Amino acid sequence: MEQFEAWSALLKAGEPVSLWQRTYVYFYQAFIYKDRWQQYLNGVKTTLYVTAIALLIGIILGLIVAIVRTAHDQQRPGRKNVFLGILNGIFQVYVTIIRGTPMMVQLMIMGFVIFSSSKDFAMVGALTLGINSGAYTSEIIRGGLMSVDAGQMEAGRSLGLNYTDTMRFIIVPQAIKAILPSLGNEFIVLLKDTSLISVIGGKELIYAARGVISRTYEAMFPFLGAAFIYLVLVLLFTWLLGIFERRLRASDRR
Amino acid sequence: MIDVKNLTKRFGDLVVLDGVSEHIDKGECVVVIGPSGSGKSTFLRCLNMLETPTSGEILFDGVSMTDPKTDINLMRQKMGMVFQHFNLFPNMTIMNNITLAPVRTGKLSKADAEKKAMELLGRVGLQDKAASYPAQLSGGQKQRVAIVRALCMNPEVLLFDEPTSALDPEMVGEVLDVMKRLAQQGMTMVVVTHEMGFAREVAHRVVFLDEGKLLEQGTPLQIFGSPQNERLRSFLAKVL
């Protein structure tokens, strides 16, 4: 503390300082001075909170869209369901629009147009990210469902199981195992994309880093620190996913 | 029991089945033979509507399978099917493979289904495999489990789609043995196979399909002893 104040005074006075002294001062004021690390910590909490909510929305939405679209494509000729057709059309438009526009633009439309009166920026951000992620997740899940051998569906149906039960007990469990790596990838992208919600005022990690920069006029350590925290979070996530994947592989034992 | 009337199936311009009519009696074991691409498998898959016929009618116990208003799931519960590639569910144990359908369709309680599964597994000599996963079984064992899975629904008819074609030669026998015993117990069976020995020995009737047409049918003695149709004769000359 005394060291910091002494060197910081030197720096402000424009005296010549060594590289070590300069680094020390910048690091100290970026993380330790006035307990600024707490700001990052609060930012990380919001980041994780937004990721969790967006993930949940994304998976539920993705699953519904994928199952409806797959069910629509697998109908027997001559027995088309009108309701399914309409839903399929709506979902197709949804996927097209979300995949065809930048995430940043979606966030701005949601934050400044649709929910312009809302003050819960993090929640609006989570909702937007979830809707965005749902479009990508649905295509991942759809690919997974289609990758399961057609014989599995035939075997289930030949036993007299209906379409829903065959999907639920036979197709979906196998598809999950197949899509887990790409789904993990999507989760990681989602986690990192939460940094974008700072543009609509969500108080996540990047927002915290920029808050510190606006006090210190020094960008290097806050941003490097934020990058480091994201990296640690992603590594942690990858590790957890690896454990989950290994557990799902139980039926591959020989 | 099964009445097939003028069954036609087209995939685009390709005519796979061309006006096939057939009647299968209760307790009968009918073997369908013919060169590859003759429509045998498609014929079998039309019987339980895994393929939707382009035209024609299929009656099962007097109920039209081809009528869109028929509850196809209910009908399929009475028709078991055994596939060339077994199609066991790799994500479940053998026990769950067998009991899933009877429990979910409400045919049996979980306890009853498991009891029945163990009894049926015992009959094919695989009782000790109940807790294994399909990946841990050999091809012949998988196919015997697949037969048990179909049997556990207590079907009125069993459809076999080339059940031994994907097996190593030394495993063919164990599967054919199980099928032979089923036939002897009076199970109604429709079998698509290249195993002429099985057809000759076990079948009550043999049906010859070529290019989507039913060209000849009769007892094994007639078909193998004195084939009438020219194409059947050249087919038999090649396979026997």
Side-chain angles (χ1 to χ4, degrees), chain A residues 128-188:
Chain A
T128 313
L129 284 173
I131 292 173
N132 181 283
S133 173
Y136 290 94
T137 310
S138 77
E139 288 296 283
I140 293 174
I141 296 176
R142 209 162 66 91
L145 292 174
M146 286 192 298
S147 78
V148 177
D149 177 24
Q152 294 288 308
M153 175 60 83
E154 289 181 354
R157 298 306 302 275
S158 79
L159 287 163
L161 291 171
N162 59 31
Y163 181 82
T164 317
D165 275 358
T166 310
M167 271 290 180
R168 183 173 148 203
F169 294 104
I170 298 161
I171 308 295
V172 171
Q174 292 182 57
I176 287 177
K177 209 157 61 174
I179 64 178
L180 215 56
S182 3
L183 217 49
N185 204 31
E186 171 62 23
F187 296 165
I188 287 168

Short mmCIF file of all heavy atoms in Angstrom, two decimals, chain A residues 128-188:
data_model
loop_
_atom_site.label_atom_id
_atom_site.label_comp_id
_atom_site.label_asym_id
_atom_site.label_seq_id
_atom_site.Cartn_x
_atom_site.Cartn_y
_atom_site.Cartn_z
N THR A 128 -31.97 -12.60 -24.61
CA THR A 128 -31.51 -12.48 -25.99
C THR A 128 -30.50 -13.57 -26.33
O THR A 128 -30.61 -14.24 -27.37
CB THR A 128 -30.84 -11.11 -26.21
OG1 THR A 128 -31.68 -10.11 -25.64
CG2 THR A 128 -30.63 -10.84 -27.68
N LEU A 129 -29.55 -13.78 -25.44
CA LEU A 129 -28.55 -14.82 -25.68
C LEU A 129 -29.20 -16.19 -25.77
O LEU A 129 -28.82 -17.03 -26.58
CB LEU A 129 -27.50 -14.82 -24.56
CG LEU A 129 -26.46 -13.71 -24.59
CD1 LEU A 129 -25.61 -13.76 -23.34
CD2 LEU A 129 -25.59 -13.84 -25.81
N GLY A 130 -30.19 -16.42 -24.90
CA GLY A 130 -30.88 -17.71 -24.90
C GLY A 130 -31.61 -17.95 -26.21
O GLY A 130 -31.53 -19.03 -26.80
N ILE A 131 -32.31 -16.91 -26.69
CA ILE A 131 -33.03 -17.04 -27.95
C ILE A 131 -32.04 -17.27 -29.09
O ILE A 131 -32.26 -18.09 -29.98
CB ILE A 131 -33.88 -15.78 -28.21
CG1 ILE A 131 -35.01 -15.71 -27.18
CG2 ILE A 131 -34.44 -15.77 -29.62
CD1 ILE A 131 -35.82 -14.43 -27.24
N ASN A 132 -30.92 -16.56 -29.03
CA ASN A 132 -29.90 -16.74 -30.05
C ASN A 132 -29.32 -18.15 -30.02
O ASN A 132 -29.24 -18.84 -31.03
CB ASN A 132 -28.78 -15.71 -29.82
CG ASN A 132 -27.68 -15.81 -30.85
OD1 ASN A 132 -26.84 -16.71 -30.78
ND2 ASN A 132 -27.70 -14.92 -31.82
N SER A 133 -28.95 -18.58 -28.81
CA SER A 133 -28.34 -19.89 -28.66
C SER A 133 -29.31 -21.00 -29.09
O SER A 133 -28.90 -22.01 -29.66
CB SER A 133 -27.91 -20.09 -27.21
OG SER A 133 -27.48 -21.39 -27.00
N GLY A 134 -30.61 -20.80 -28.81
CA GLY A 134 -31.62 -21.79 -29.16
C GLY A 134 -31.59 -22.15 -30.64
O GLY A 134 -31.75 -23.31 -31.02
N ALA A 135 -31.39 -21.13 -31.48
CA ALA A 135 -31.38 -21.37 -32.93
C ALA A 135 -30.23 -22.28 -33.31
O ALA A 135 -30.40 -23.23 -34.09
CB ALA A 135 -31.29 -20.05 -33.68
N TYR A 136 -29.05 -22.00 -32.75
CA TYR A 136 -27.89 -22.83 -33.08
C TYR A 136 -28.03 -24.22 -32.45
O TYR A 136 -27.74 -25.23 -33.07
CB TYR A 136 -26.61 -22.15 -32.59
CG TYR A 136 -26.27 -20.92 -33.40
CD1 TYR A 136 -26.69 -19.67 -33.00
CD2 TYR A 136 -25.59 -21.03 -34.60
CE1 TYR A 136 -26.41 -18.53 -33.75
CE2 TYR A 136 -25.29 -19.91 -35.36
CZ TYR A 136 -25.71 -18.67 -34.93
OH TYR A 136 -25.44 -17.57 -35.69
N THR A 137 -28.47 -24.23 -31.18
CA THR A 137 -28.62 -25.51 -30.50
C THR A 137 -29.61 -26.41 -31.23
O THR A 137 -29.40 -27.62 -31.34
CB THR A 137 -29.10 -25.29 -29.05
OG1 THR A 137 -28.26 -24.32 -28.44
CG2 THR A 137 -29.04 -26.56 -28.25
N SER A 138 -30.69 -25.82 -31.74
CA SER A 138 -31.70 -26.64 -32.42
C SER A 138 -31.11 -27.34 -33.62
O SER A 138 -31.40 -28.51 -33.88
CB SER A 138 -32.89 -25.78 -32.85
OG SER A 138 -32.58 -25.03 -34.00
N GLU A 139 -30.23 -26.65 -34.35
CA GLU A 139 -29.62 -27.28 -35.52
C GLU A 139 -28.64 -28.38 -35.09
O GLU A 139 -28.54 -29.42 -35.74
CB GLU A 139 -28.90 -26.24 -36.37
CG GLU A 139 -29.86 -25.32 -37.12
CD GLU A 139 -30.71 -26.08 -38.13
OE1 GLU A 139 -30.20 -26.42 -39.20
OE2 GLU A 139 -31.89 -26.35 -37.84
N ILE A 140 -27.95 -28.14 -33.97
CA ILE A 140 -27.03 -29.17 -33.46
C ILE A 140 -27.83 -30.41 -33.06
O ILE A 140 -27.49 -31.54 -33.42
CB ILE A 140 -26.24 -28.64 -32.25
CG1 ILE A 140 -25.29 -27.53 -32.69
CG2 ILE A 140 -25.45 -29.77 -31.59
CD1 ILE A 140 -24.57 -26.84 -31.53
N ILE A 141 -28.92 -30.20 -32.33
CA ILE A 141 -29.73 -31.33 -31.87
C ILE A 141 -30.37 -32.06 -33.06
O ILE A 141 -30.41 -33.28 -33.12
CB ILE A 141 -30.81 -30.86 -30.88
CG1 ILE A 141 -30.15 -30.28 -29.62
CG2 ILE A 141 -31.74 -32.01 -30.49
CD1 ILE A 141 -31.11 -29.71 -28.62
N ARG A 142 -30.86 -31.26 -34.02
CA ARG A 142 -31.49 -31.87 -35.20
C ARG A 142 -30.49 -32.78 -35.92
O ARG A 142 -30.81 -33.89 -36.34
CB ARG A 142 -31.98 -30.78 -36.14
CG ARG A 142 -33.19 -31.16 -36.98
CD ARG A 142 -33.87 -29.94 -37.54
NE ARG A 142 -33.02 -29.23 -38.49
CZ ARG A 142 -33.02 -29.46 -39.80
NH1 ARG A 142 -33.82 -30.37 -40.30
NH2 ARG A 142 -32.24 -28.79 -40.60
N GLY A 143 -29.26 -32.26 -36.05
CA GLY A 143 -28.22 -33.07 -36.67
C GLY A 143 -27.99 -34.36 -35.89
O GLY A 143 -27.84 -35.43 -36.47
N GLY A 144 -28.01 -34.24 -34.56
CA GLY A 144 -27.80 -35.41 -33.71
C GLY A 144 -28.91 -36.42 -33.87
O GLY A 144 -28.69 -37.63 -33.97
N LEU A 145 -30.15 -35.93 -33.91
CA LEU A 145 -31.30 -36.84 -34.05
C LEU A 145 -31.24 -37.57 -35.39
O LEU A 145 -31.54 -38.76 -35.47
CB LEU A 145 -32.62 -36.05 -33.96
CG LEU A 145 -32.96 -35.46 -32.59
CD1 LEU A 145 -34.21 -34.60 -32.68
CD2 LEU A 145 -33.15 -36.56 -31.56
N MET A 146 -30.80 -36.84 -36.43
CA MET A 146 -30.75 -37.47 -37.75
C MET A 146 -29.58 -38.43 -37.86
O MET A 146 -29.58 -39.32 -38.71
CB MET A 146 -30.66 -36.40 -38.84
CG MET A 146 -31.97 -35.67 -39.04
SD MET A 146 -32.02 -34.65 -40.51
CE MET A 146 -30.73 -33.47 -40.20
N SER A 147 -28.57 -38.26 -36.99
CA SER A 147 -27.40 -39.13 -37.08
C SER A 147 -27.65 -40.51 -36.47
O SER A 147 -26.90 -41.44 -36.72
CB SER A 147 -26.20 -38.48 -36.38
OG SER A 147 -26.31 -38.62 -34.99
N VAL A 148 -28.71 -40.65 -35.68
CA VAL A 148 -29.02 -41.96 -35.10
C VAL A 148 -29.54 -42.88 -36.22
O VAL A 148 -30.41 -42.47 -37.00
CB VAL A 148 -30.07 -41.84 -33.98
CG1 VAL A 148 -30.44 -43.22 -33.44
CG2 VAL A 148 -29.55 -40.98 -32.85
N ASP A 149 -28.98 -44.08 -36.28
CA ASP A 149 -29.34 -45.05 -37.32
C ASP A 149 -30.85 -45.18 -37.48
O ASP A 149 -31.58 -45.34 -36.50
CB ASP A 149 -28.72 -46.39 -36.93
CG ASP A 149 -29.08 -47.50 -37.90
OD1 ASP A 149 -29.38 -47.16 -39.06
OD2 ASP A 149 -29.07 -48.67 -37.50
N ALA A 150 -31.32 -45.13 -38.72
CA ALA A 150 -32.76 -45.21 -38.98
C ALA A 150 -33.35 -46.51 -38.45
O ALA A 150 -34.53 -46.59 -38.10
CB ALA A 150 -33.03 -45.08 -40.48
N GLY A 151 -32.53 -47.56 -38.36
CA GLY A 151 -32.99 -48.84 -37.84
C GLY A 151 -33.47 -48.75 -36.40
O GLY A 151 -34.30 -49.56 -35.97
N GLN A 152 -32.97 -47.80 -35.63
CA GLN A 152 -33.39 -47.64 -34.24
C GLN A 152 -34.84 -47.20 -34.17
O GLN A 152 -35.63 -47.71 -33.38
CB GLN A 152 -32.49 -46.62 -33.54
CG GLN A 152 -31.05 -47.08 -33.40
CD GLN A 152 -30.92 -48.18 -32.38
OE1 GLN A 152 -31.38 -48.06 -31.26
NE2 GLN A 152 -30.32 -49.29 -32.78
N MET A 153 -35.18 -46.22 -35.01
CA MET A 153 -36.57 -45.78 -35.06
C MET A 153 -37.47 -46.93 -35.54
O MET A 153 -38.53 -47.18 -34.96
CB MET A 153 -36.68 -44.56 -36.00
CG MET A 153 -38.08 -44.06 -36.26
SD MET A 153 -39.00 -43.50 -34.80
CE MET A 153 -38.41 -41.84 -34.57
N GLU A 154 -37.01 -47.65 -36.56
CA GLU A 154 -37.82 -48.76 -37.08
C GLU A 154 -38.02 -49.84 -36.03
O GLU A 154 -39.13 -50.38 -35.89
CB GLU A 154 -37.13 -49.37 -38.31
CG GLU A 154 -37.20 -48.45 -39.52
CD GLU A 154 -36.53 -49.07 -40.73
OE1 GLU A 154 -35.93 -50.15 -40.60
OE2 GLU A 154 -36.62 -48.47 -41.81
N ALA A 155 -36.95 -50.14 -35.28
CA ALA A 155 -37.07 -51.18 -34.26
C ALA A 155 -38.08 -50.75 -33.19
O ALA A 155 -38.94 -51.54 -32.78
CB ALA A 155 -35.71 -51.45 -33.62
N GLY A 156 -37.98 -49.49 -32.77
CA GLY A 156 -38.91 -49.00 -31.75
C GLY A 156 -40.35 -49.04 -32.24
O GLY A 156 -41.25 -49.55 -31.56
N ARG A 157 -40.55 -48.56 -33.47
CA ARG A 157 -41.91 -48.51 -34.00
C ARG A 157 -42.44 -49.92 -34.29
O ARG A 157 -43.63 -50.18 -34.13
CB ARG A 157 -41.96 -47.67 -35.29
CG ARG A 157 -41.56 -46.21 -35.13
CD ARG A 157 -42.35 -45.50 -34.04
NE ARG A 157 -43.78 -45.52 -34.26
CZ ARG A 157 -44.45 -44.66 -35.01
NH1 ARG A 157 -43.81 -43.69 -35.62
NH2 ARG A 157 -45.77 -44.73 -35.13
N SER A 158 -41.55 -50.83 -34.72
CA SER A 158 -42.02 -52.18 -35.04
C SER A 158 -42.51 -52.90 -33.80
O SER A 158 -43.29 -53.85 -33.87
CB SER A 158 -40.90 -53.00 -35.70
OG SER A 158 -40.00 -53.48 -34.72
N LEU A 159 -42.05 -52.45 -32.61
CA LEU A 159 -42.51 -53.06 -31.37
C LEU A 159 -43.86 -52.50 -30.93
O LEU A 159 -44.43 -52.94 -29.93
CB LEU A 159 -41.48 -52.84 -30.27
CG LEU A 159 -40.21 -53.68 -30.39
CD1 LEU A 159 -39.10 -53.10 -29.53
CD2 LEU A 159 -40.47 -55.12 -30.01
N GLY A 160 -44.34 -51.49 -31.67
CA GLY A 160 -45.62 -50.91 -31.32
C GLY A 160 -45.51 -49.67 -30.44
O GLY A 160 -46.51 -49.12 -30.00
N LEU A 161 -44.27 -49.23 -30.17
CA LEU A 161 -44.11 -47.98 -29.42
C LEU A 161 -44.53 -46.82 -30.32
O LEU A 161 -44.31 -46.87 -31.53
CB LEU A 161 -42.64 -47.79 -29.02
CG LEU A 161 -42.08 -48.74 -27.97
CD1 LEU A 161 -40.57 -48.57 -27.86
CD2 LEU A 161 -42.73 -48.47 -26.62
N ASN A 162 -45.10 -45.78 -29.73
CA ASN A 162 -45.48 -44.64 -30.56
C ASN A 162 -44.25 -43.75 -30.81
O ASN A 162 -43.18 -43.98 -30.25
CB ASN A 162 -46.63 -43.84 -29.93
CG ASN A 162 -46.28 -43.31 -28.55
OD1 ASN A 162 -45.12 -43.01 -28.28
ND2 ASN A 162 -47.26 -43.21 -27.69
N TYR A 163 -44.45 -42.76 -31.66
CA TYR A 163 -43.32 -41.91 -32.07
C TYR A 163 -42.67 -41.23 -30.88
O TYR A 163 -41.44 -41.21 -30.75
CB TYR A 163 -43.83 -40.87 -33.08
CG TYR A 163 -42.76 -39.95 -33.61
CD1 TYR A 163 -41.94 -40.35 -34.67
CD2 TYR A 163 -42.56 -38.69 -33.07
CE1 TYR A 163 -40.95 -39.52 -35.15
CE2 TYR A 163 -41.56 -37.85 -33.55
CZ TYR A 163 -40.76 -38.28 -34.59
OH TYR A 163 -39.78 -37.45 -35.07
N THR A 164 -43.51 -40.69 -29.98
CA THR A 164 -42.98 -39.93 -28.84
C THR A 164 -42.12 -40.82 -27.94
O THR A 164 -41.02 -40.43 -27.53
CB THR A 164 -44.14 -39.35 -28.01
OG1 THR A 164 -45.11 -38.82 -28.91
CG2 THR A 164 -43.65 -38.25 -27.10
N ASP A 165 -42.62 -42.00 -27.60
CA ASP A 165 -41.86 -42.91 -26.73
C ASP A 165 -40.56 -43.34 -27.39
O ASP A 165 -39.52 -43.45 -26.73
CB ASP A 165 -42.71 -44.15 -26.39
CG ASP A 165 -43.62 -43.90 -25.21
OD1 ASP A 165 -43.54 -42.78 -24.65
OD2 ASP A 165 -44.39 -44.80 -24.84
N THR A 166 -40.63 -43.63 -28.69
CA THR A 166 -39.42 -44.05 -29.39
C THR A 166 -38.37 -42.94 -29.35
O THR A 166 -37.19 -43.19 -29.10
CB THR A 166 -39.74 -44.40 -30.86
OG1 THR A 166 -40.85 -45.28 -30.89
CG2 THR A 166 -38.57 -45.08 -31.53
N MET A 167 -38.82 -41.72 -29.58
CA MET A 167 -37.92 -40.57 -29.49
C MET A 167 -37.32 -40.47 -28.09
O MET A 167 -36.12 -40.36 -27.91
CB MET A 167 -38.69 -39.28 -29.79
CG MET A 167 -38.72 -38.91 -31.24
SD MET A 167 -37.06 -38.39 -31.70
CE MET A 167 -37.29 -38.01 -33.39
N ARG A 168 -38.20 -40.52 -27.11
CA ARG A 168 -37.81 -40.23 -25.73
C ARG A 168 -36.84 -41.27 -25.16
O ARG A 168 -35.84 -40.93 -24.53
CB ARG A 168 -39.06 -40.17 -24.87
CG ARG A 168 -38.79 -39.82 -23.44
CD ARG A 168 -40.10 -39.60 -22.69
NE ARG A 168 -39.94 -39.99 -21.31
CZ ARG A 168 -40.95 -40.34 -20.52
NH1 ARG A 168 -42.18 -40.36 -20.98
NH2 ARG A 168 -40.73 -40.67 -19.28
N PHE A 169 -37.13 -42.54 -25.40
CA PHE A 169 -36.33 -43.58 -24.76
C PHE A 169 -35.19 -44.10 -25.63
O PHE A 169 -34.22 -44.64 -25.12
CB PHE A 169 -37.21 -44.76 -24.36
CG PHE A 169 -38.20 -44.41 -23.29
CD1 PHE A 169 -39.53 -44.20 -23.60
CD2 PHE A 169 -37.78 -44.25 -21.98
CE1 PHE A 169 -40.44 -43.86 -22.62
CE2 PHE A 169 -38.68 -43.92 -20.99
CZ PHE A 169 -40.01 -43.71 -21.31
N ILE A 170 -35.33 -43.97 -26.95
CA ILE A 170 -34.35 -44.61 -27.83
C ILE A 170 -33.52 -43.59 -28.60
O ILE A 170 -32.30 -43.62 -28.57
CB ILE A 170 -35.07 -45.56 -28.81
CG1 ILE A 170 -35.78 -46.66 -28.01
CG2 ILE A 170 -34.08 -46.17 -29.79
CD1 ILE A 170 -36.86 -47.37 -28.76
N ILE A 171 -34.18 -42.67 -29.30
CA ILE A 171 -33.45 -41.78 -30.20
C ILE A 171 -32.72 -40.67 -29.43
O ILE A 171 -31.52 -40.47 -29.59
CB ILE A 171 -34.39 -41.17 -31.26
CG1 ILE A 171 -35.20 -42.26 -31.96
CG2 ILE A 171 -33.59 -40.35 -32.26
CD1 ILE A 171 -34.41 -43.22 -32.78
N VAL A 172 -33.46 -39.94 -28.58
CA VAL A 172 -32.86 -38.78 -27.90
C VAL A 172 -31.65 -39.16 -27.03
O VAL A 172 -30.61 -38.50 -27.12
CB VAL A 172 -33.93 -38.01 -27.09
CG1 VAL A 172 -33.29 -36.94 -26.22
CG2 VAL A 172 -34.94 -37.36 -28.04
N PRO A 173 -31.74 -40.23 -26.22
CA PRO A 173 -30.56 -40.57 -25.42
C PRO A 173 -29.32 -40.85 -26.27
O PRO A 173 -28.21 -40.49 -25.89
CB PRO A 173 -30.98 -41.84 -24.67
CG PRO A 173 -32.45 -41.80 -24.65
CD PRO A 173 -32.88 -41.11 -25.91
N GLN A 174 -29.52 -41.48 -27.43
CA GLN A 174 -28.37 -41.74 -28.30
C GLN A 174 -27.87 -40.47 -28.96
O GLN A 174 -26.68 -40.28 -29.17
CB GLN A 174 -28.74 -42.77 -29.37
CG GLN A 174 -28.98 -44.14 -28.79
CD GLN A 174 -29.31 -45.15 -29.86
OE1 GLN A 174 -28.54 -45.35 -30.80
NE2 GLN A 174 -30.46 -45.78 -29.77
N ALA A 175 -28.82 -39.59 -29.31
CA ALA A 175 -28.45 -38.34 -29.96
C ALA A 175 -27.64 -37.46 -29.01
O ALA A 175 -26.64 -36.86 -29.41
CB ALA A 175 -29.69 -37.59 -30.45
N ILE A 176 -28.04 -37.44 -27.74
CA ILE A 176 -27.34 -36.59 -26.77
C ILE A 176 -25.87 -36.94 -26.73
O ILE A 176 -25.00 -36.08 -26.73
CB ILE A 176 -27.98 -36.73 -25.37
CG1 ILE A 176 -29.32 -36.02 -25.36
CG2 ILE A 176 -27.06 -36.16 -24.30
CD1 ILE A 176 -30.07 -36.15 -24.06
N LYS A 177 -25.59 -38.24 -26.74
CA LYS A 177 -24.21 -38.67 -26.67
C LYS A 177 -23.44 -38.19 -27.91
O LYS A 177 -22.29 -37.79 -27.81
CB LYS A 177 -24.16 -40.20 -26.57
CG LYS A 177 -22.96 -40.69 -25.84
CD LYS A 177 -23.14 -42.07 -25.27
CE LYS A 177 -23.41 -43.11 -26.33
NZ LYS A 177 -23.44 -44.45 -25.76
N ALA A 178 -24.12 -38.21 -29.04
CA ALA A 178 -23.45 -37.83 -30.29
C ALA A 178 -23.21 -36.32 -30.36
O ALA A 178 -22.23 -35.88 -30.96
CB ALA A 178 -24.28 -38.29 -31.49
N ILE A 179 -24.11 -35.54 -29.76
CA ILE A 179 -24.00 -34.09 -29.95
C ILE A 179 -23.27 -33.40 -28.82
O ILE A 179 -23.04 -32.21 -28.89
CB ILE A 179 -25.39 -33.43 -30.11
CG1 ILE A 179 -26.19 -33.61 -28.84
CG2 ILE A 179 -26.09 -33.95 -31.32
CD1 ILE A 179 -27.55 -32.96 -28.91
N LEU A 180 -22.92 -34.13 -27.76
CA LEU A 180 -22.32 -33.47 -26.60
C LEU A 180 -21.09 -32.62 -26.93
O LEU A 180 -20.99 -31.50 -26.44
CB LEU A 180 -22.01 -34.51 -25.52
CG LEU A 180 -22.20 -33.98 -24.11
CD1 LEU A 180 -23.59 -33.44 -23.91
CD2 LEU A 180 -21.88 -35.04 -23.10
N PRO A 181 -20.16 -33.12 -27.77
CA PRO A 181 -19.01 -32.27 -28.09
C PRO A 181 -19.41 -30.95 -28.76
O PRO A 181 -18.93 -29.89 -28.36
CB PRO A 181 -18.19 -33.14 -29.05
CG PRO A 181 -18.55 -34.52 -28.69
CD PRO A 181 -20.00 -34.47 -28.30
N SER A 182 -20.31 -30.99 -29.74
CA SER A 182 -20.70 -29.74 -30.41
C SER A 182 -21.53 -28.87 -29.48
O SER A 182 -21.48 -27.65 -29.54
CB SER A 182 -21.45 -29.99 -31.71
OG SER A 182 -21.67 -31.33 -31.94
N LEU A 183 -22.31 -29.52 -28.61
CA LEU A 183 -23.10 -28.75 -27.65
C LEU A 183 -22.16 -28.03 -26.67
O LEU A 183 -22.37 -26.86 -26.33
CB LEU A 183 -24.03 -29.70 -26.89
CG LEU A 183 -25.42 -29.18 -26.56
CD1 LEU A 183 -26.11 -28.58 -27.75
CD2 LEU A 183 -26.27 -30.30 -25.97
N GLY A 184 -21.11 -28.72 -26.24
CA GLY A 184 -20.13 -28.11 -25.36
C GLY A 184 -19.49 -26.90 -26.01
O GLY A 184 -19.30 -25.86 -25.39
N ASN A 185 -19.20 -27.05 -27.29
CA ASN A 185 -18.65 -25.94 -28.06
C ASN A 185 -19.59 -24.74 -28.04
O ASN A 185 -19.19 -23.61 -27.81
CB ASN A 185 -18.45 -26.43 -29.50
CG ASN A 185 -17.40 -25.65 -30.22
OD1 ASN A 185 -16.46 -25.17 -29.61
ND2 ASN A 185 -17.58 -25.50 -31.52
N GLU A 186 -20.88 -25.02 -28.25
CA GLU A 186 -21.88 -23.97 -28.27
C GLU A 186 -21.96 -23.28 -26.89
O GLU A 186 -22.10 -22.06 -26.80
CB GLU A 186 -23.23 -24.57 -28.67
CG GLU A 186 -24.44 -23.66 -28.55
CD GLU A 186 -24.38 -22.43 -29.42
OE1 GLU A 186 -23.66 -22.45 -30.44
OE2 GLU A 186 -25.03 -21.43 -29.08
N PHE A 187 -21.84 -24.07 -25.82
CA PHE A 187 -21.89 -23.49 -24.47
C PHE A 187 -20.72 -22.54 -24.25
O PHE A 187 -20.87 -21.48 -23.65
CB PHE A 187 -21.81 -24.60 -23.41
CG PHE A 187 -22.98 -25.53 -23.42
CD1 PHE A 187 -22.92 -26.74 -22.76
CD2 PHE A 187 -24.14 -25.20 -24.10
CE1 PHE A 187 -23.99 -27.62 -22.78
CE2 PHE A 187 -25.21 -26.07 -24.13
CZ PHE A 187 -25.14 -27.28 -23.47
N ILE A 188 -19.55 -22.94 -24.73
CA ILE A 188 -18.37 -22.10 -24.55
C ILE A 188 -18.53 -20.79 -25.31
O ILE A 188 -18.23 -19.71 -24.79
CB ILE A 188 -17.10 -22.87 -25.01
CG1 ILE A 188 -16.78 -23.96 -23.99
CG2 ILE A 188 -15.92 -21.93 -25.18
CD1 ILE A 188 -15.75 -24.95 -24.45
#
